[in-house]
Structures are given as C-alpha cells and as structure tokens.
C-alpha cells in the first residue's frame, strides 16, 4: 500500500513565478491537508480539502490556492512567489483521527 | 487561539539515557494530542497519539500521557538509541468535527551519541 506521495521532491523557482505541487493521498483516504514548514519550524496549516472543496483554511494569503480531484488527489498552487515562500511543503491525508504525511516538496525561491 | 509549546532543543543524550521532551498546550474543547517524528530529509511520521484525558499513547518504547489538569503531553523513553536521533513535534488536533487541522509545536531536535 503506497503511502502519501508528493511530487516533485525538489523545486527551484524565481521570485514572481507560479508553482504547482501535487499530492496523492494514502489509499482509502478522502481528506487532504497542506502544510508549510519553514526551516527549523513546525509545520503551519495552509488548508484542507474534502469532497473537492476547501473546508478549512489557515492564515495564508490568497496567493495560496488548491484543488482536489475526484480521485482525492490534490494540488497546491502558489502565485507571485516570494523569497519567504521557500519551505518544505507537506501534504497529509487523513481518515479518522490519524494524519499520514508525505515526504514533502522542498521549494526554493531565488 | 489554540497553541502548542515544546521545550527548546537541541537535546543531546548518551545512548541508553532517559528522555523527556516537555509539551504543553492551550486549547478550547477536547483536542486529540500527537507526537510526530521527522528524520533528516523526510516527512513526518506519527509516533503516538492520545484522544482523551488520561489516555497513554505508546509506540517503539516512547510514551506520553494526556494530562488535562496540567495541559501537558510530555514524551518519555526509558533508554534512547542512536537511531532515535531526529526532530520531535508535539501537535494537537482541533477535533474531527472541526476539520482535524493539526497545530504543531516548534519541534525539539534530539541527538543521541554512542
């Protein structure tokens, strides 16, 4: 059983560009959340998707948007990248109380 | 709002030493509590959880007890190994009916020396 898979693993973008990160949840999981983890910090909640709708959102600007597809996979889009968006982006899928995390996408904005 | 506070690291121990990493939380309602571990270059792995007061979560020799009276969920292990070196995160979930969003502490880095 594959766990949560994220792509790409690493990405370098230029300030002002747009980026799309992808996540496939663990089999049987229907809820996907995205987190941003800055270096040396704990993950911060961005938003959560269930039944293809954004259900809950953290304190992130509208430059951060997402989508969930009928197969429960999800995308995170970030527009107008800033240097401060450099971080590890983690996807988590959940069914019940327990969340399973992917390996993350390391985004570097230069 | 809800929050989690962990003891600052790094924590450096010798192999077979006793480990305690303190975690306290602030929350309304009745959150579930978790410890996650992150090995270098990897995502987060769930280490243990407790869903109600006085529950004890345990896994791989690690334990933590949900103490509502002290709003704490301290992580303990009786004898650490070099392979336990990692960053440990305490987290609370605001509840399944509230979306299950996780709020994390800042993490505590553990380094175990042979």
């Amino acid at each position: 059983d594959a766990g949560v898979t994220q792509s790409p693993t690493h990405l370098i973008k230029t300030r002002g560009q747009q980026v799309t990160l992808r996540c496939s949840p663990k089999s049987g999981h229907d809820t996907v959340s995205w987190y941003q983890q800055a270096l040396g910090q704990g993950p911060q909640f961005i938003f959560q998707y269930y039944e293809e709708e954004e259900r809950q959102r953290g304190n992130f600007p509208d430059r951060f948007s997402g989508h969930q597809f009928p197969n429960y996979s999800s995308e995170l889009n970030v527009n107008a990248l800033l240097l401060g968006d450099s971080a590890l982006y983690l996807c988590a899928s959940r069914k019940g109380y327990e969340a399973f995390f992917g390996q993350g996408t390391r985004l570097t904005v230069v | 709002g809800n929050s989690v506070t962990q003891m600052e690291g790094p924590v450096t121990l010798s192999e077979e030493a006793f480990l305690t990493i303190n975690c306290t939380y602030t929350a309304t309602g009745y959150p579930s509590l978790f410890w996650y571990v992150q090995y270098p270059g990897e995502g987060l792995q769930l280490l243990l959880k407790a869903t109600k007061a006085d529950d004890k979560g345990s896994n791989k020799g690690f334990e933590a007890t949900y103490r509502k009276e002290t709003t704490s969920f301290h992580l303990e292990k009786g004898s650490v190994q070099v392979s336990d070196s990692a960053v440990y995160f305490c987290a609370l979930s605001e509840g399944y009916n509230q979306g299950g969003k996780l709020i994390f502490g800042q993490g505590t880095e553990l380094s175990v020396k042979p």
Side-chain angles (χ1 to χ4, degrees):
Chain A
D1 174 29
V4 179
T5 58
Q6 292 186 241
S7 63
T9 53
H10 295 84
L11 202 53
I12 299 175
K13 288 287 189 178
T14 302
R15 189 172 52 183
Q17 285 188 315
Q18 179 264 346
V19 68
T20 296
L21 311 182
R22 296 177 175 82
C23 171
S24 293
K26 187 174 169 63
S27 178
H29 288 190
D30 55 8
T31 302
V32 173
S33 300
W34 287 91
Y35 292 81
Q36 181 195 65
Q37 185 179 17
L39 200 60
Q41 301 296 316
Q44 299 290 317
F45 176 78
I46 302 175
F47 43 53
Q48 181 184 83
Y49 278 84
Y50 173 68
E51 291 186 337
E52 302 180 50
E53 290 189 13
E54 184 183 293
R55 298 292 178 167
Q56 199 172 12
R57 189 178 181 92
N59 189 24
F60 279 80
D62 291 345
R63 298 186 298 108
F64 289 78
S65 63
H67 189 78
Q68 186 179 34
F69 299 94
N71 66 353
Y72 307 127
S73 67
S74 177
E75 289 182 349
L76 164 66
N77 301 292
V78 187
N79 294 323
L81 285 166
L82 303 174
L83 297 179
D85 294 332
S86 295
L88 180 68
Y89 288 84
L90 295 165
C91 172
S93 70
R94 183 174 65 86
K95 188 166 186 175
Y97 285 104
E98 188 170 334
F100 291 80
F101 284 81
Q103 300 284 78
T105 295
R106 172 73 61 188
L107 172 64
T108 303
V109 182
V110 298
Chain B
N2 296 346
S3 64
V4 174
T5 302
Q6 292 180 232
M7 65 184 283
E8 290 194 17
V11 173
T12 302
L13 296 173
S14 298
E15 205 165 23
E16 299 184 4
F18 184 86
L19 168 71
T20 299
I21 300 178
N22 291 337
C23 171
T24 57
Y25 67 91
T26 301
T28 55
Y30 303 96
S32 296
L33 301 175
F34 305 85
W35 277 100
Y36 282 86
V37 59
Q38 186 173 37
Y39 297 101
E42 298 188 9
L44 301 178
Q45 298 177 26
L46 178 66
L47 183 58
L48 53 84
K49 67 178 186 288
T51 57
K52 62 182 186 296
D54 299 325
D55 269 2
K56 176 186 281 188
S58 61
N59 186 28
K60 300 180 181 178
F62 290 90
E63 293 183 338
T65 301
Y66 189 163
R67 301 284 189 200
K68 192 170 188 295
E69 63 277 12
T70 55
T71 61
S72 64
F73 192 55
H74 304 321
L75 182 68
E76 296 182 335
K77 187 176 185 183
S79 176
V80 294
Q81 305 300 313
V82 172
S83 58
D84 294 326
S85 298
V87 181
Y88 292 81
F89 292 94
C90 185
L92 70 82
S93 171
E94 294 186 323
Y96 189 82
N97 291 335
Q98 287 79 40
K101 154 187 161 182
L102 289 166
I103 296 173
F104 289 87
Q106 72 271 33
T108 302
E109 182 180 0
L110 170 66
S111 177
V112 181
K113 306 298 184 185

